[in-house]
mmCIF file of all heavy atoms in Angstrom:
data_model
loop_
_atom_site.group_PDB
_atom_site.id
_atom_site.type_symbol
_atom_site.label_atom_id
_atom_site.label_comp_id
_atom_site.label_asym_id
_atom_site.label_seq_id
_atom_site.Cartn_x
_atom_site.Cartn_y
_atom_site.Cartn_z
ATOM 1 N N LEU A 1 0.855 -1.142 -0.028
ATOM 2 C CA LEU A 1 -0.001 -0.040 0.008
ATOM 3 C C LEU A 1 0.854 1.239 -0.041
ATOM 4 O O LEU A 1 0.614 2.169 -0.719
ATOM 5 C CB LEU A 1 -0.948 -0.029 1.235
ATOM 6 C CG LEU A 1 -1.910 1.270 1.346
ATOM 7 C CD1 LEU A 1 -2.838 1.304 0.147
ATOM 8 C CD2 LEU A 1 -2.512 1.243 2.812
ATOM 9 N N GLY A 2 1.928 1.165 0.818
ATOM 10 C CA GLY A 2 2.841 2.399 0.887
ATOM 11 C C GLY A 2 3.470 2.657 -0.477
ATOM 12 O O GLY A 2 3.488 3.900 -0.813
ATOM 13 N N LEU A 3 3.928 1.715 -1.181
ATOM 14 C CA LEU A 3 4.473 1.947 -2.514
ATOM 15 C C LEU A 3 3.495 2.484 -3.500
ATOM 16 O O LEU A 3 3.710 3.340 -4.326
ATOM 17 C CB LEU A 3 5.101 0.604 -2.967
ATOM 18 C CG LEU A 3 6.284 0.134 -2.217
ATOM 19 C CD1 LEU A 3 6.736 -1.320 -2.837
ATOM 20 C CD2 LEU A 3 7.488 1.183 -2.409
ATOM 21 N N ILE A 4 2.329 1.919 -3.366
ATOM 22 C CA ILE A 4 1.222 2.460 -4.298
ATOM 23 C C ILE A 4 1.018 4.010 -4.109
ATOM 24 O O ILE A 4 0.909 4.752 -5.044
ATOM 25 C CB ILE A 4 -0.126 1.662 -4.211
ATOM 26 C CG1 ILE A 4 0.163 0.145 -4.764
ATOM 27 C CG2 ILE A 4 -1.225 2.286 -4.903
ATOM 28 C CD1 ILE A 4 -0.999 -0.715 -4.440
ATOM 29 N N LEU A 5 0.857 4.276 -2.836
ATOM 30 C CA LEU A 5 0.616 5.766 -2.483
ATOM 31 C C LEU A 5 1.713 6.592 -2.828
ATOM 32 O O LEU A 5 1.523 7.753 -3.286
ATOM 33 C CB LEU A 5 0.183 5.865 -1.026
ATOM 34 C CG LEU A 5 -1.002 5.065 -0.540
ATOM 35 C CD1 LEU A 5 -1.182 5.155 0.955
ATOM 36 C CD2 LEU A 5 -2.316 5.885 -1.178
ATOM 37 N N PHE A 6 2.863 6.136 -2.621
ATOM 38 C CA PHE A 6 4.119 6.933 -2.899
ATOM 39 C C PHE A 6 4.233 7.226 -4.376
ATOM 40 O O PHE A 6 4.443 8.422 -4.805
ATOM 41 C CB PHE A 6 5.440 6.080 -2.466
ATOM 42 C CG PHE A 6 6.634 6.853 -2.856
ATOM 43 C CD1 PHE A 6 7.295 7.732 -2.026
ATOM 44 C CD2 PHE A 6 7.249 6.552 -4.045
ATOM 45 C CE1 PHE A 6 8.344 8.488 -2.321
ATOM 46 C CE2 PHE A 6 8.543 7.140 -4.366
ATOM 47 C CZ PHE A 6 9.002 8.122 -3.505
ATOM 48 N N PHE A 7 4.121 6.273 -5.178
ATOM 49 C CA PHE A 7 4.284 6.517 -6.607
ATOM 50 C C PHE A 7 3.067 7.284 -7.189
ATOM 51 O O PHE A 7 3.288 8.027 -8.277
ATOM 52 C CB PHE A 7 4.476 5.130 -7.342
ATOM 53 C CG PHE A 7 5.824 4.519 -7.119
ATOM 54 C CD1 PHE A 7 5.983 3.421 -6.475
ATOM 55 C CD2 PHE A 7 6.961 5.199 -7.537
ATOM 56 C CE1 PHE A 7 7.302 2.818 -6.248
ATOM 57 C CE2 PHE A 7 8.248 4.586 -7.239
ATOM 58 C CZ PHE A 7 8.400 3.563 -6.721
ATOM 59 N N CYS A 8 1.899 7.074 -6.776
ATOM 60 C CA CYS A 8 0.764 7.835 -7.203
ATOM 61 C C CYS A 8 0.877 9.309 -6.844
ATOM 62 O O CYS A 8 0.663 10.142 -7.721
ATOM 63 C CB CYS A 8 -0.534 7.349 -6.691
ATOM 64 S SG CYS A 8 -1.110 5.705 -7.368
ATOM 65 N N SER A 9 1.424 9.557 -5.647
ATOM 66 C CA SER A 9 1.557 10.899 -5.222
ATOM 67 C C SER A 9 2.742 11.698 -5.903
ATOM 68 O O SER A 9 2.548 12.916 -6.204
ATOM 69 C CB SER A 9 1.726 11.016 -3.739
ATOM 70 O OG SER A 9 2.866 10.404 -3.340
ATOM 71 N N SER A 10 3.738 11.016 -6.084
ATOM 72 C CA SER A 10 4.882 11.550 -6.704
ATOM 73 C C SER A 10 4.660 12.088 -8.170
ATOM 74 O O SER A 10 5.260 13.022 -8.648
ATOM 75 C CB SER A 10 6.182 10.701 -6.695
ATOM 76 O OG SER A 10 5.884 9.450 -7.414
ATOM 77 N N SER A 11 3.731 11.388 -8.898
ATOM 78 C CA SER A 11 3.392 11.802 -10.144
ATOM 79 C C SER A 11 2.553 12.999 -10.208
ATOM 80 O O SER A 11 2.508 13.756 -11.353
ATOM 81 C CB SER A 11 2.589 10.677 -10.854
ATOM 82 O OG SER A 11 1.205 10.394 -10.268
ATOM 83 N N LEU A 12 1.971 13.383 -9.067
ATOM 84 C CA LEU A 12 1.185 14.735 -8.955
ATOM 85 C C LEU A 12 1.933 15.755 -8.519
ATOM 86 O O LEU A 12 1.471 16.944 -8.662
ATOM 87 C CB LEU A 12 0.004 14.406 -7.996
ATOM 88 C CG LEU A 12 -0.966 13.392 -8.342
ATOM 89 C CD1 LEU A 12 -2.003 13.284 -7.154
ATOM 90 C CD2 LEU A 12 -1.905 13.763 -9.586
ATOM 91 N N LEU A 13 3.213 15.748 -8.222
ATOM 92 C CA LEU A 13 4.073 16.779 -7.507
ATOM 93 C C LEU A 13 4.156 18.061 -8.524
ATOM 94 O O LEU A 13 4.060 19.129 -7.982
ATOM 95 C CB LEU A 13 5.437 16.255 -7.219
ATOM 96 C CG LEU A 13 6.321 17.219 -6.466
ATOM 97 C CD1 LEU A 13 5.688 17.572 -5.238
ATOM 98 C CD2 LEU A 13 7.713 16.516 -6.258
ATOM 99 N N PRO A 14 4.300 17.933 -9.822
ATOM 100 C CA PRO A 14 4.367 19.038 -10.596
ATOM 101 C C PRO A 14 3.225 19.955 -10.528
ATOM 102 O O PRO A 14 3.228 21.189 -10.929
ATOM 103 C CB PRO A 14 4.681 18.561 -11.966
ATOM 104 C CG PRO A 14 5.208 17.180 -11.782
ATOM 105 C CD PRO A 14 4.458 16.604 -10.521
ATOM 106 N N LEU A 15 2.049 19.421 -10.180
ATOM 107 C CA LEU A 15 0.768 20.203 -10.176
ATOM 108 C C LEU A 15 0.579 20.948 -8.785
ATOM 109 O O LEU A 15 -0.447 21.699 -8.733
ATOM 110 C CB LEU A 15 -0.393 19.304 -10.385
ATOM 111 C CG LEU A 15 -0.419 18.472 -11.615
ATOM 112 C CD1 LEU A 15 -1.509 17.435 -11.655
ATOM 113 C CD2 LEU A 15 -0.414 19.280 -12.917
ATOM 114 N N LEU A 16 1.430 20.810 -7.854
ATOM 115 C CA LEU A 16 1.219 21.233 -6.526
ATOM 116 C C LEU A 16 2.023 22.551 -6.248
ATOM 117 O O LEU A 16 3.142 22.764 -6.798
ATOM 118 C CB LEU A 16 1.479 20.271 -5.473
ATOM 119 C CG LEU A 16 0.808 18.938 -5.648
ATOM 120 C CD1 LEU A 16 1.399 17.988 -4.577
ATOM 121 C CD2 LEU A 16 -0.710 19.027 -5.568
ATOM 122 N N THR A 17 1.461 23.421 -5.393
ATOM 123 C CA THR A 17 2.121 24.498 -4.886
ATOM 124 C C THR A 17 2.590 24.459 -3.537
ATOM 125 O O THR A 17 2.111 23.515 -2.673
ATOM 126 C CB THR A 17 1.145 25.836 -4.921
ATOM 127 O OG1 THR A 17 0.097 25.643 -4.038
ATOM 128 C CG2 THR A 17 0.700 26.042 -6.413
ATOM 129 N N ASP A 18 3.493 25.266 -2.965
ATOM 130 C CA ASP A 18 4.052 25.123 -1.624
ATOM 131 C C ASP A 18 2.840 25.249 -0.599
ATOM 132 O O ASP A 18 2.966 24.463 0.319
ATOM 133 C CB ASP A 18 5.103 26.178 -1.329
ATOM 134 C CG ASP A 18 6.348 25.848 -2.118
ATOM 135 O OD1 ASP A 18 6.576 24.665 -2.466
ATOM 136 O OD2 ASP A 18 7.255 26.781 -2.321
ATOM 137 N N PRO A 19 1.983 26.109 -0.726
ATOM 138 C CA PRO A 19 0.839 26.273 0.213
ATOM 139 C C PRO A 19 -0.103 25.010 0.169
ATOM 140 O O PRO A 19 -0.508 24.636 1.317
ATOM 141 C CB PRO A 19 -0.004 27.474 -0.194
ATOM 142 C CG PRO A 19 0.917 28.400 -0.870
ATOM 143 C CD PRO A 19 1.834 27.378 -1.542
ATOM 144 N N MET A 20 -0.218 24.490 -0.914
ATOM 145 C CA MET A 20 -1.061 23.209 -0.883
ATOM 146 C C MET A 20 -0.357 22.033 -0.170
ATOM 147 O O MET A 20 -0.970 21.299 0.548
ATOM 148 C CB MET A 20 -1.244 22.775 -2.442
ATOM 149 C CG MET A 20 -2.250 23.688 -3.176
ATOM 150 S SD MET A 20 -2.202 23.491 -4.945
ATOM 151 C CE MET A 20 -2.970 21.860 -5.080
ATOM 152 N N ILE A 21 1.004 21.921 -0.321
ATOM 153 C CA ILE A 21 1.679 20.887 0.278
ATOM 154 C C ILE A 21 1.733 21.076 1.793
ATOM 155 O O ILE A 21 1.646 20.194 2.558
ATOM 156 C CB ILE A 21 3.041 20.812 -0.183
ATOM 157 C CG1 ILE A 21 3.096 20.320 -1.753
ATOM 158 C CG2 ILE A 21 3.937 19.866 0.579
ATOM 159 C CD1 ILE A 21 4.435 20.322 -2.343
ATOM 160 N N ALA A 22 1.874 22.430 2.229
ATOM 161 C CA ALA A 22 1.853 22.837 3.647
ATOM 162 C C ALA A 22 0.450 22.473 4.254
ATOM 163 O O ALA A 22 0.442 21.948 5.358
ATOM 164 C CB ALA A 22 2.152 24.301 3.809
ATOM 165 N N ASP A 23 -0.551 22.776 3.551
ATOM 166 C CA ASP A 23 -1.829 22.394 4.125
ATOM 167 C C ASP A 23 -2.177 20.906 4.117
ATOM 168 O O ASP A 23 -2.835 20.365 5.103
ATOM 169 C CB ASP A 23 -2.968 23.146 3.307
ATOM 170 C CG ASP A 23 -3.006 24.544 3.463
ATOM 171 O OD1 ASP A 23 -2.473 25.030 4.466
ATOM 172 O OD2 ASP A 23 -3.553 25.268 2.607
ATOM 173 N N PHE A 24 -1.548 20.071 3.261
ATOM 174 C CA PHE A 24 -1.749 18.710 3.192
ATOM 175 C C PHE A 24 -0.913 18.134 4.445
ATOM 176 O O PHE A 24 -1.447 17.373 5.102
ATOM 177 C CB PHE A 24 -1.091 18.112 1.946
ATOM 178 C CG PHE A 24 -0.957 16.664 1.921
ATOM 179 C CD1 PHE A 24 -2.003 15.858 1.632
ATOM 180 C CD2 PHE A 24 0.213 15.956 2.235
ATOM 181 C CE1 PHE A 24 -1.928 14.475 1.666
ATOM 182 C CE2 PHE A 24 0.351 14.682 2.329
ATOM 183 C CZ PHE A 24 -0.696 13.910 2.034
ATOM 184 N N LYS A 25 0.137 18.698 4.722
ATOM 185 C CA LYS A 25 0.971 18.142 5.872
ATOM 186 C C LYS A 25 0.181 18.540 7.140
ATOM 187 O O LYS A 25 0.171 17.855 8.096
ATOM 188 C CB LYS A 25 2.380 18.814 5.958
ATOM 189 C CG LYS A 25 3.249 18.455 4.853
ATOM 190 C CD LYS A 25 4.731 19.062 5.090
ATOM 191 C CE LYS A 25 5.665 18.379 3.998
ATOM 192 N NZ LYS A 25 7.045 19.051 4.125
ATOM 193 N N ALA A 26 -0.380 19.776 7.285
ATOM 194 C CA ALA A 26 -1.141 20.134 8.367
ATOM 195 C C ALA A 26 -2.375 19.317 8.655
ATOM 196 O O ALA A 26 -2.668 18.900 9.731
ATOM 197 C CB ALA A 26 -1.607 21.621 8.336
ATOM 198 N N CYS A 27 -3.056 18.834 7.519
ATOM 199 C CA CYS A 27 -4.117 18.060 7.761
ATOM 200 C C CYS A 27 -3.728 16.697 8.170
ATOM 201 O O CYS A 27 -4.353 16.083 9.016
ATOM 202 C CB CYS A 27 -4.854 17.929 6.311
ATOM 203 S SG CYS A 27 -6.419 16.975 6.422
ATOM 204 N N GLY A 28 -2.604 16.119 7.508
ATOM 205 C CA GLY A 28 -2.090 14.904 8.027
ATOM 206 C C GLY A 28 -1.720 14.994 9.381
ATOM 207 O O GLY A 28 -1.794 13.958 10.239
ATOM 208 N N GLY A 29 -1.135 16.201 9.908
ATOM 209 C CA GLY A 29 -0.712 16.245 11.324
ATOM 210 C C GLY A 29 -1.999 16.153 12.286
ATOM 211 O O GLY A 29 -1.793 15.653 13.345
ATOM 212 N N MET A 30 -3.167 16.710 11.910
ATOM 213 C CA MET A 30 -4.307 16.600 12.683
ATOM 214 C C MET A 30 -4.756 15.123 12.834
ATOM 215 O O MET A 30 -5.207 14.657 13.959
ATOM 216 C CB MET A 30 -5.443 17.414 12.067
ATOM 217 C CG MET A 30 -5.222 18.984 12.145
ATOM 218 S SD MET A 30 -6.590 19.913 11.492
ATOM 219 C CE MET A 30 -6.005 21.532 11.750
ATOM 220 N N ILE A 31 -4.648 14.460 11.716
ATOM 221 C CA ILE A 31 -5.013 12.928 11.720
ATOM 222 C C ILE A 31 -4.058 12.207 12.718
ATOM 223 O O ILE A 31 -4.334 11.438 13.341
ATOM 224 C CB ILE A 31 -5.068 12.365 10.316
ATOM 225 C CG1 ILE A 31 -6.238 13.131 9.539
ATOM 226 C CG2 ILE A 31 -5.195 10.896 10.357
ATOM 227 C CD1 ILE A 31 -6.273 12.658 8.098
#
């Protein structure tokens, strides 16, 4: 599962901004 999530997310990296990644981390931090 970890490998699937890793490779799926890395393919989306060019579409992301720094604030989007920061908010993603914050949401993960709450969980």
Side-chain angles (χ1 to χ4, degrees):
L1 177 65
L3 291 174
I4 291 172
L5 293 172
F6 175 87
F7 287 114
C8 287
S9 62
S10 59
S11 65
L12 297 174
L13 186 59
L15 305 176
L16 306 179
T17 63
D18 288 340
M20 291 168 67
I21 294 176
D23 288 342
F24 172 80
K25 289 183 176 182
C27 185
M30 292 182 180
I31 295 175

